[in-house]
Amino acid sequence: MSTTNPIAKRFREVIFDGKFVAYTNYKDQLSQVKLAEATKKIGPLNTIAALTYHINYYVAGVLNVFEGGELEIRDKFSYDLPPLESEEDWDTLKNELFSNGEKFAAHLDGFSEEKFKGAFVVEKYGTYRRNMDGMIEHCYYHLGQISIIRKMIAEGM
């Protein structure tokens, strides 16, 4: 998983192996979560499963653009988690995030500086760099929520 592209490196850190910013990452956090914890509802908070789905929804949606498709994702659908009825369903969701995450990072590795300076999809969305920085920040934001929810569950809340 080595990379010379700093944006790809930062994305891999939040998803797979980083400890610098949050002292954790999605792989660490989610590998320890079973279905009952992933779907446990605490007050008005999203579940760990819903947050995992949400991040994967955006990663997969932008990955589609990287692979030549349209930007088809919409905020209003980003929490439409289908029912998870087994540990296998939960494992599938986590594995989709990790698979999409690796493909996403591999594309970032291949981007030139000119690509990062170019418009993402349409001019009004800003540059690729701005959007990829935003994706990484979005991932960290929800990683923090997952970490806190896990602590709340462990404390019996």
Side-chain angles (χ1 to χ4, degrees):
M1 269 199 239
S2 68
T3 181
T4 57
N5 182 309
I7 295 175
K9 183 177 187 301
R10 286 180 52 229
F11 182 80
R12 281 193 176 97
E13 286 174 351
V14 68
I15 301 294
F16 299 110
D17 59 10
K19 300 282 186 173
F20 181 67
V21 173
Y23 202 69
T24 191
N25 55 71
Y26 279 86
K27 193 104 173 174
D28 279 354
Q29 288 295 308
L30 298 179
S31 68
Q32 303 169 43
V33 174
K34 298 294 182 195
L35 178 64
E37 297 167 309
T39 57
K40 183 170 178 58
K41 187 76 173 140
I42 299 177
L45 303 178
N46 288 306
T47 65
I48 292 170
L51 293 167
T52 303
Y53 176 87
H54 178 76
I55 287 299
N56 185 56
Y57 179 83
Y58 282 102
V59 170
V62 174
L63 179 61
N64 186 55
V65 172
F66 291 174
E67 294 176 344
E70 299 292 321
L71 183 62
E72 300 170 343
I73 53 178
R74 301 293 178 263
D75 292 343
K76 67 181 179 178
F77 302 123
S78 68
Y79 283 102
D80 288 353
L81 172 69
L84 300 176
E85 298 178 4
S86 67
E87 289 293 337
E88 292 76 27
D89 291 346
W90 171 231
D91 288 342
T92 297
L93 177 59
K94 292 185 290 187
N95 290 333
E96 284 177 12
L97 172 62
F98 301 139
S99 176
N100 287 335
E102 187 48 49
K103 292 175 198 170
F104 191 99
H107 279 281
L108 292 176
D109 270 332
F111 285 0
S112 66
E113 188 58 34
E114 292 75 35
K115 177 85 168 182
F116 281 117
K117 290 178 182 177
F120 178 74
V121 183
V122 294
E123 192 88 21
K124 71 179 182 177
Y125 294 152
T127 65
Y128 267 83
R129 180 177 308 280
R130 180 173 186 252
N131 279 272
M132 296 314 102
D133 285 342
M135 176 68 82
I136 292 165
E137 292 165 8
H138 186 219
C139 287
Y140 273 116
Y141 174 77
H142 290 302
L143 176 61
Q145 291 177 324
I146 289 169
S147 297
I148 291 168
I149 292 168
R150 285 190 63 230
K151 288 178 183 178
M152 292 173 79
I153 291 169
E155 293 176 10
M157 298 180 118

